[in-house]
Amino acid sequence: MVGTPTGRVGTTIDDRFASAERFTTLRGIRREAKRQLSKAAWNYLWSGTGDERTVDENTAAFDRRLFDTPLFAGIENPDTSTSVLGYDLSFPAFIAPFGGEATFHLGGHPAIGRAAEAAGIRQMVPVAASYSLEDVAAASGAASIFQMTFVGEEDQVVEMMHRAAEAGYQYICVTYSPIRQWRERLLEDRFSPRTNLAESNFGPGGSNPAPLVELLDFTQPRWTWEQAQRAIARSPLPCIVKGVQSAKDARASLDAGAVGLYVSNYGGRTIDRTAATIDILPEVRAAAGPNVPIILDSGIRRGSDIATAIALGADAVALGRLVALGLAADGERGVLRTLELLQQELWTTLGHLGVSRIAELSPAVFRDAS
């Protein structure tokens, strides 16, 4: 009998596939999330812009990287932990700053933060969250980085950065949104998310809603790098620039005062037919040099994808859609289980690659390494 050694009838040696957990795979979490959500809510979670070529390419680009698995590598028990931006992480991941999360589950970012804290990673919180930045920060010790869009009046943007600092955030994630997104699934669904920003971060008791109105109405020219540099210089917190998609973007971000770079095409949700982030990553790392922290999102679907991103130059990834799936499937518990499964798969990947720790990942783990 498989798993029953001679002389020890009834003793199971290998029970790694037996589990009392509700979800044993990320596939199972995705199936349950889709079952829980309406068609319109599912489209909001999973859609991109235009023909959604970039959404597909983000994942296909990971699939094109083939691993080289060595024999007799003499590895130690793989250690998935690392340190990024001064944070000790159980594995190299942050929660990505995605908004409208109450559409998937009313627990929202407070529940996500508690799951992240339990898993040993940190959370990025968006200005478009369904809860105020103060409420999310109060929910857990994971809420560490606040993302906001540079749009509207500079003084109002700086005021909100000070508000984030007062709430206990340690970094600002700076991003840019030149114009509305063309998401055809949402247009056909006539979709409206279950989020009222006037009741979370803006309006009475919150920040001036003028930047939000300007983001939607587009009455003023969008910001230049000179404006971004001024705002970063006035920020009470160090800034990371999100949306980096080229070596040129990387250099401009660092020249503007960024202390870290966030490579992202927003999961293919802003404009279609852009390059996959994993394809862009090596040139960004080359432009930034070896010591600038780099985070990457867009296309992460497995623990092996995390290993690929680190091997090609990222210090950590940011998890958006996968976390949203976990939230939709089972709230806080679903998010925690998602993170657990990702870390476990990453651990397995490291072992097969002959790697004992995160710092040992490099392009040498791929078959086409020179």
Side-chain angles (χ1 to χ4, degrees):
M1 179 183 294
V2 174
T4 303
T6 302
R8 298 178 62 191
V9 176
T11 300
T12 301
I13 290 179
D14 185 354
D15 63 351
R16 79 190 105 164
F17 301 122
S19 174
E21 293 283 352
R22 179 183 178 190
F23 299 112
T24 58
T25 66
L26 294 171
R27 282 197 189 101
I29 289 174
R30 177 176 171 175
R31 284 194 298 266
E32 180 61 16
K34 193 168 186 178
R35 191 183 74 84
Q36 291 285 348
L37 295 175
S38 67
K39 178 177 177 291
W42 176 260
N43 283 340
Y44 177 58
L45 192 164
W46 208 251
S47 68
T49 53
D51 289 319
E52 304 184 3
R53 304 290 191 216
T54 299
V55 176
D56 294 337
E57 181 61 13
N58 279 337
T59 55
F62 278 99
D63 292 338
R64 288 194 292 270
R65 267 75 184 185
L66 301 180
F67 292 127
D68 182 19
T69 55
L71 286 170
F72 300 107
I75 64 166
E76 301 171 9
N77 188 344
D79 181 1
T80 63
S81 67
T82 190
S83 180
V84 183
L85 293 170
Y87 299 123
D88 292 330
L89 307 172
S90 63
F91 68 108
F94 292 86
I95 303 295
F98 63 95
E101 79 287 357
T103 299
F104 314 129
H105 190 282
L106 288 176
H109 273 293
I112 293 170
R114 290 189 294 269
E117 185 171 35
I121 66 170
R122 296 286 181 141
Q123 178 187 27
M124 299 183 181
V125 179
V127 69
S130 303
Y131 293 81
S132 72
L133 63 92
E134 290 85 1
D135 286 345
V136 179
S140 77
S144 305
I145 302 172
F146 182 66
Q147 179 197 273
M148 60 185 304
T149 305
F150 275 8
V151 67
E153 297 297 328
E154 184 179 316
D155 286 346
Q156 293 167 349
V157 168
V158 172
E159 179 184 357
M160 194 166 209
M161 291 194 287
H162 279 274
R163 182 179 157 198
E166 291 168 3
Y169 293 87
Q170 291 93 44
Y171 290 90
I172 298 292
C173 179
V174 174
T175 192
Y176 174 72
S177 183
I179 204 162
R180 298 182 190 184
Q181 304 89 3
W182 191 258
R183 300 182 190 170
E184 292 195 346
R185 285 203 237 181
L186 306 192
L187 289 166
E188 290 177 343
D189 290 340
R190 293 169 171 79
F191 180 74
S192 180
R194 190 193 298 169
T195 301
N196 187 345
L197 292 177
E199 295 176 358
S200 56
N201 280 316
F202 298 97
S207 294
N208 190 319
L212 174 64
V213 173
E214 175 55 28
L215 180 64
L216 299 175
D217 288 353
F218 206 152
T219 64
Q220 305 170 22
R222 290 302 192 234
W223 282 31
T224 63
W225 275 113
E226 290 75 19
Q227 289 173 287
Q229 184 173 14
R230 284 199 307 268
I232 289 172
R234 294 177 62 189
S235 172
L237 298 172
C239 293
I240 303 158
V241 173
K242 177 182 178 182
V244 173
Q245 297 185 54
S246 66
K248 181 180 179 181
D249 285 344
R251 288 189 290 268
S253 299
L254 296 173
D255 288 345
V259 300
L261 304 175
Y262 188 156
V263 178
S264 176
N265 58 32
Y266 304 90
R269 294 168 70 86
T270 57
I271 185 171
D272 207 9
R273 298 175 183 168
T274 58
T277 55
I278 198 66
D279 288 338
I280 294 165
L281 177 59
E283 73 173 78
V284 172
R285 172 52 75 192
N291 299 320
V292 174
I294 296 178
I295 298 168
L296 176 139
D297 74 11
S298 306
I300 303 293
R301 298 292 182 267
R302 289 196 165 275
S304 55
D305 294 338
I306 299 175
T308 296
I310 305 306
L312 289 174
D315 294 286
V317 301
L319 305 169
R321 277 190 174 99
L322 289 182
V323 169
L325 289 174
L327 186 68
D330 196 21
E332 182 178 332
R333 291 176 298 182
V335 175
L336 178 57
R337 187 61 181 148
T338 297
L339 300 177
E340 289 171 345
L341 288 168
L342 283 166
Q343 184 180 10
Q344 290 167 12
E345 188 181 6
L346 173 62
W347 177 85
T348 301
T349 303
L350 295 182
H352 284 293
L353 294 178
V355 169
S356 299
R357 52 194 57 85
I358 293 298
E360 295 175 10
L361 286 167
S362 75
V365 302
F366 303 111
R367 286 188 60 86
D368 58 355
S370 56

